[in-house]
Amino acid sequence: MRHLFLVLLGWPLLGWAQAPIQLADVCPAGFETSAENTCKLHTRYDQYDSLYERGVGGLQTALPAHREGFSPQQIDLGRHLFFDPVLSGDQTQSCASCHHPKLGFADGLKRSIGANGAENQRAAPSLWNMAFLTRFFWDARSGSLEEQMTGPLFSPVEMAASPELLLERLNASAEYRRLFAEAYPKQDVVTLDQLYLSLAAFQTSLISLNSPYDRYAHGSPDALNAQELEGFNVYRSFVARCSECHTPPLFTNQQIAVIGVPEPDGRPFDPGAQVPFDNPDWRGGFKVPSLRNVAQTAPYMHSGSFTTLRDAAEFYTKGRGHALPEEEKGRVQLHWHIWEPKLAEHELDRLVDFMRALTDESFTPAIPAQVPSGLAPVGRVPPALQARIASTTHNKNEPTGE
């Protein structure tokens, strides 16, 4: 029983030896493995030459430039690191604890829970299509994935590790030294740069570009049903103006927008991008998130203020600045797209139908059966996923009446 208890906690059994992990030698789905052993992304958007940066995104608009060129081994090493609790200070949580593939690479919480149960300031954003993004975090304070990941790894309220601790652990692991040597054959020891690059490589492989919307955009008229198509027409109308910020085909323009989202639970107003950019015009401003797989990532906004997509859509039609605290109404400069479209109830419903048609998880990577540390993959499972698993188990055990 003691051994079983240790396994459930995520700790390896004393004396237990796992089989050696073999890194992938071919690229993930959607990528071509080149003769130089690098991964090149191919999508149907490659055939378009219209510029994403000039306009509000038509059906056949090219995607923005993206990051690629990693080897299959670097991507797969990053996958194992992503799901390994060894990267957290107390070895109980991994990157996947807040960015779980079964929750749209988010965690289903208003605000993520980090080390020792500490609550983070903001919700965990989804990681889909990170290869196309140029700024990271809700407040856009980081300009690269490598810079971004030092935040959660070393934050005392997130994973609470330190550079020294991670270097010591990874270099003390014969399994990790072997895998890093395979991914980076010209270096003898594990370095922080290799760690960051591997995690970046994995995250840039998370591609979602084959939703019903995409199939419609590429010429399949029946890919969207009547309700979804009506919602798309509302979405790109000059009345709703959703597409001016959530610009197809990436469904974000990657800009900072001040929209006046409320803070839940009596929390103080979040100044957002004002702080890292020292820009008072961006007080309360946050990066426009992509709507890809948005149906999988409730609750919504940086603060998790809205439980459902319907609630989030309704926010935009309730009036300019309606949710701002009184003391902020003279300080916050709302984005000029935030106005009063006065959408009807059925139009909001159709918007939700369309946003659900942006779902594509066909390239979701597999959670490793084992990770190099010998700990249980993922570590602490997000509460939202625990509840979903419990609900599924309960339903399966209910009498069927047959």
Side-chain angles (χ1 to χ4, degrees):
M1 286 299 293
R2 178 175 176 271
H3 284 179
L4 177 60
F5 179 67
L6 289 173
V7 171
L8 292 175
L9 282 179
W11 297 94
L13 296 180
L14 296 177
W16 176 73
Q18 60 182 15
I21 292 171
Q22 301 298 319
L23 295 181
D25 57 4
V26 294
C27 297
F31 289 82
E32 173 192 5
T33 308
S34 73
E36 294 77 27
N37 197 42
T38 60
C39 297
K40 182 174 178 58
L41 177 66
H42 290 291
T43 80
R44 293 190 67 180
Y45 287 99
D46 296 346
Q47 64 189 307
Y48 309 135
D49 58 7
S50 55
L51 294 179
Y52 170 87
E53 292 85 357
R54 297 181 185 174
V56 296
L59 284 176
Q60 298 183 344
T61 300
L63 285 158
H66 64 277
R67 190 174 176 187
E68 62 181 5
F70 301 101
S71 71
Q73 293 81 7
Q74 290 169 343
I75 292 173
D76 203 32
L77 174 57
R79 180 175 70 99
H80 284 84
L81 286 162
F82 186 87
F83 289 99
D84 197 336
V86 76
L87 297 188
S88 61
D90 63 4
Q91 301 188 99
T92 64
Q93 61 179 349
S94 66
C95 302
S97 294
C98 291
H99 301 282
H100 199 285
K102 292 187 181 298
L103 296 169
F105 282 99
D107 62 9
L109 297 175
K110 291 183 177 181
R111 290 170 296 277
S112 296
I113 302 299
N116 301 312
E119 185 179 74
N120 284 260
Q121 182 182 10
R122 297 169 185 144
S126 173
L127 302 184
W128 284 110
N129 293 331
M130 298 285 274
F132 298 95
L133 302 185
T134 56
R135 304 297 307 182
F136 303 93
F137 290 115
W138 276 104
D139 58 12
R141 65 184 180 271
S142 291
S144 72
L145 277 169
E146 288 87 341
E147 179 187 4
Q148 177 275 329
M149 65 188 60
T150 62
L153 284 174
F154 307 133
S155 167
V157 296
E158 294 191 53
M159 297 180 75
S162 70
E164 297 77 16
L165 178 62
L166 294 189
L167 283 176
E168 179 183 354
R169 283 181 184 167
L170 295 175
N171 279 292
S173 165
E175 185 75 341
Y176 262 124
R177 290 199 311 274
R178 178 181 68 82
L179 296 175
F180 271 89
E182 185 177 340
Y184 303 96
K186 295 183 179 180
Q187 299 197 38
D188 298 327
V189 297
V190 177
T191 69
L192 289 175
D193 285 344
Q194 292 170 349
L195 168 64
Y196 302 154
L197 193 67
S198 300
L199 288 169
F202 171 65
Q203 290 181 64
T204 58
S205 75
L206 304 177
I207 302 299
S208 176
L209 294 170
N210 193 32
S211 67
Y213 163 80
D214 297 293
R215 297 193 291 276
Y216 177 84
H218 297 319
S220 297
D222 296 330
L224 295 179
N225 63 34
Q227 290 78 19
E228 292 163 347
L229 187 56
E230 182 181 350
F232 182 37
N233 288 330
V234 174
Y235 181 91
R236 60 181 174 175
S237 71
F238 188 70
V239 176
R241 303 169 79 168
C242 308
S243 63
E244 294 181 15
C245 290
H246 296 283
T247 311
L250 197 56
F251 287 87
T252 173
N253 60 8
Q254 306 205 52
Q255 296 177 8
I256 300 295
V258 183
I259 64 174
V261 172
E263 295 294 328
D265 308 325
R267 295 171 63 90
F269 187 78
D270 189 334
Q274 177 189 9
V275 175
F277 293 96
D278 192 23
N279 183 352
D281 290 343
W282 281 353
R283 181 169 179 78
F286 296 93
K287 190 180 68 173
V288 175
S290 171
L291 298 183
R292 295 279 182 172
N293 290 318
V294 69
Q296 312 303 103
T297 60
Y300 300 105
M301 308 296 186
H302 73 276
S303 54
S305 297
F306 302 118
T307 303
T308 68
L309 271 177
R310 182 60 159 71
D311 295 336
E314 187 180 39
F315 163 79
Y316 290 95
T317 199
K318 282 189 171 181
R320 181 177 173 85
H322 72 276
L324 283 174
E326 286 300 320
E327 64 272 17
E328 295 293 338
K329 289 185 177 178
R331 305 177 65 187
V332 171
Q333 304 298 314
L334 290 173
H335 195 286
W336 67 280
H337 286 170
I338 302 302
W339 63 317
E340 299 184 16
K342 298 180 180 178
L343 298 179
E345 294 294 314
H346 78 276
E347 290 176 313
L348 292 172
D349 292 337
R350 297 295 78 76
L351 272 177
V352 171
D353 291 336
F354 173 68
M355 287 189 282
R356 293 187 182 281
L358 299 176
T359 302
D360 166 39
E361 298 178 295
S362 55
F363 286 173
T364 300
I367 298 174
Q370 62 187 48
V371 288
S373 67
L375 298 168
V378 178
R380 191 188 68 218
V381 176
L385 186 57
Q386 293 178 20
R388 184 181 297 179
I389 293 171
S391 174
T392 301
T393 304
H394 175 73
N395 290 338
K396 285 183 178 179
N397 292 334
E398 286 181 348
T400 63
E402 297 179 358

